[in-house]
Amino acid sequence: MRFRADRDAFADAITWTARALPARPAVPVLAGMRLDIADAASGTLHLSGFDYEVSARASVDVQVEEAGSVLVSGRLLAEIVRNLPPHPVGLRVEGSRALLTCGSARFTLLTLPLEDYPTLPPMPHAVGSAPADAFATAVRQVLPSTSRDDTLPMLTGVNLTFRGDAVLLAATDRYRIAVRELWWQPEQPGIDASALVPARTLGEFARSLAGGTVGIALSAADGSTAGEGMIGFEHAGKRTTTRLIDSDFISYESRFPEEVAARAEVAVASLVESVRRVALVADRSTPLRLSFSSSEVVLEAGSGEDAQALEVLDVKFEGEPMRIAFNPQYLLDGLTGVESETALLSFVGPTRPAVITGAPAEEGGRPDFRYLVMPLRV
C-alpha cells in the first residue's frame, strides 16, 4: 500500500474513526485501525474500527500509488495525525512496518496481523433520512437525561421511535425524561419501529454532523425485535453501526401531566444565567429553590451557615404562588435544551414533576422538545 493525502481530510477521517476504538480492548487486535485501498484506480482510502459492538467507517480521497491493506494502532495514528505540520501526508507499507511522512516529519508504525481482525458487520437496511443539523440538535437535547449506571441498561440508551414522517428521541435516568420530535423522510411511509441506541455511540456520531442529511438504517425495521439487531447511521462519507440495547424502554407519554395547576413564561437566556450564578453556592446535595409569584421568580440556594445566593427575575406566571426546588444541573439541562427565546415551565404541585418546553411554533401547537423533571423536597 502506498498513497498521499490532504493532511486535514486525512486527519479528520482518522480522528473520527478512532472514536469507536475501545479504550481497553478485549484482544490487542481490536486496538487497531484498518486502512484499505481496494483498487488503485478508485482513489479512495477506507478506514475502519470495530470492537464487536460498535463499528466506524470513513472514506477519504487520496492519490493512490499502490492498493493494499494495513492494520495499525488506531489511537497512536490518531494522535500522530492531530499533530502533523500543514503538509500533504504520505503513507507506505514495507513488510511489518508502515512509514508515515508529512513535510520533514517521519513516523514508523508497527503493523498488526490483518488475518486476526474481525469482519465488520454490513450496514443494515436503510429506513430513511433526516436533516443532519436537526438530528444533531435532537441528540444534544436528550443526551443529558441518559444515565451512566450500567446496572440498568435501558437508562443508558436513547430510544428512537420511527412513526410515519416523525422520529421521537427519548431518554431518562429515572429523575427526568427528555423527548424531542423531529421530521424525517422514511423509506416506507407506514413505518412503525423503535430502537434503543447506546447513548455514547449516538452522541459521538451526532457531534460529527454538519449540514446535509443523515441516513438511518435499521435491521429490525418492523419493530418486532427492536431490542435485537443493529442500527446504522451514515453522513458525508462516515458510517457507524452499533448493536441495540436489548431492553424495553418505558412508556413515557403517560408520565407527562395532562393538566397543570400553574405555568410560568420566562426568557431562557436570563433564567439560565441566573440559575448558574445562584447554583455557585450549591453542591450536589443542595437544591436550588424557586419561588413564583404573579410577576417574578426568586431563585435561592444555600442556608444557615452555608454560603447563600439570591436573585430575582421577571416572569409571566399564571396560578397560585408556588415554591419548588430542583437539582440545579437537572434544571439547566432542561433549559439549555429549549431552542426558543422563551421557556414555558408547567407545574402540578411543589412535589410533582414539572415540565419544561419551548414556546410552540404556533399557538396551541405541541412543542418539539419536552423535558419532565422531578423536584426535590425542601
Side-chain angles (χ1 to χ4, degrees):
M1 169 188 276
R2 181 177 297 195
F3 65 85
R4 290 181 65 79
D6 173 78
R7 182 258 189 197
D8 292 339
F10 183 66
D12 177 67
I14 291 285
T15 302
W16 185 84
T17 306
R19 292 175 181 171
L21 298 176
R24 297 178 180 85
V27 291
V29 74
L30 294 181
M33 183 183 299
R34 180 166 179 154
L35 287 69
D36 292 289
I37 298 176
D39 183 358
S42 67
T44 302
L45 170 69
H46 299 284
L47 311 159
S48 56
F50 186 40
D51 69 353
Y52 290 113
E53 294 291 331
V54 179
S55 75
R57 285 168 278 201
S59 300
V60 61
D61 293 334
V62 297
Q63 298 173 14
V64 182
E65 298 178 25
E66 184 180 345
S69 301
V70 67
L71 186 68
V72 297
S73 171
R75 293 191 182 277
L76 177 58
L77 180 60
E79 192 66 30
I80 289 172
V81 299
R82 274 196 295 266
N83 292 281
L84 290 176
H87 298 289
V89 179
L91 187 143
R92 69 180 187 272
V93 178
E94 296 181 354
S96 62
R97 297 176 183 274
L99 308 177
L100 186 147
T101 61
C102 183
S104 60
R106 301 284 189 276
F107 297 89
T108 301
L109 304 176
L110 294 178
T111 63
L112 299 170
L114 266 173
E115 61 274 12
D116 294 341
Y117 197 69
T119 302
L120 270 68
M123 195 73 167
H125 297 295
V127 292
S129 61
D133 290 338
F135 187 78
T137 298
V139 173
R140 176 187 60 79
Q141 289 172 302
V142 304
L143 211 61
S145 295
T146 59
S147 173
R148 293 174 179 81
D149 184 0
D150 293 332
T151 57
L152 193 55
M154 182 271 290
L155 301 179
T156 65
V158 175
N159 193 66
L160 274 63
T161 301
F162 307 95
R163 191 170 298 146
D165 61 358
V167 180
L168 277 80
L169 291 83
T172 182
D173 62 0
R174 290 182 291 195
Y175 304 106
R176 61 256 180 92
I177 304 172
V179 182
R180 168 64 198 273
E181 182 175 358
L182 74 153
W183 172 88
W184 80 316
Q185 182 64 53
E187 292 285 332
Q188 300 175 353
I191 187 172
D192 188 356
S194 63
L196 188 52
V197 186
R200 179 180 176 275
T201 303
L202 186 61
E204 288 285 1
F205 181 78
R207 275 193 284 273
S208 70
L209 299 178
T213 60
V214 53
I216 304 173
L218 188 63
S219 63
D222 62 355
S224 60
T225 55
E228 302 171 6
M230 188 172 293
I231 195 167
F233 302 96
E234 182 173 9
H235 175 261
K238 299 182 177 71
R239 290 183 174 187
T240 191
T241 66
T242 181
R243 291 185 182 276
L244 300 178
I245 297 173
D246 188 6
S247 179
D248 293 326
F249 199 69
I250 63 168
S251 177
Y252 56 83
E253 287 293 351
S254 61
R255 307 191 182 213
F256 284 84
E258 295 183 2
E259 297 182 2
V260 297
R263 181 177 283 110
E265 183 177 339
V266 60
V268 174
S270 298
L271 184 55
V272 166
E273 291 172 3
S274 295
V275 170
R276 284 176 174 159
R277 281 192 292 266
V278 175
L280 292 174
V281 302
D283 56 30
R284 286 191 173 188
S285 60
T286 304
L288 185 145
R289 305 180 296 277
L290 296 92
S291 300
F292 290 92
S293 59
S294 60
S295 60
E296 66 180 25
V297 57
V298 179
L299 292 83
E300 302 173 86
S303 61
E305 297 180 357
D306 298 329
Q308 300 177 47
L310 181 148
E311 189 163 339
V312 180
L313 275 181
D314 293 334
V315 299
K316 294 180 182 178
F317 185 75
E318 299 176 0
E320 293 296 320
M322 182 173 296
R323 190 168 187 260
I324 193 168
F326 297 103
N327 175 303
Q329 188 57 54
Y330 288 3
L331 182 59
L332 283 172
D333 288 340
L335 292 171
T336 54
V338 173
E339 294 185 278
S340 59
E341 294 182 358
T342 302
L344 301 179
L345 285 72
S346 302
F347 307 102
V348 177
T351 60
R352 300 286 299 279
V355 178
I356 300 172
T357 67
E362 53 187 38
E363 188 172 348
R366 178 167 167 157
D368 292 336
F369 174 69
R370 293 174 291 152
Y371 183 87
L372 180 146
V373 58
M374 289 293 298
L376 299 176
R377 294 184 180 274
V378 292

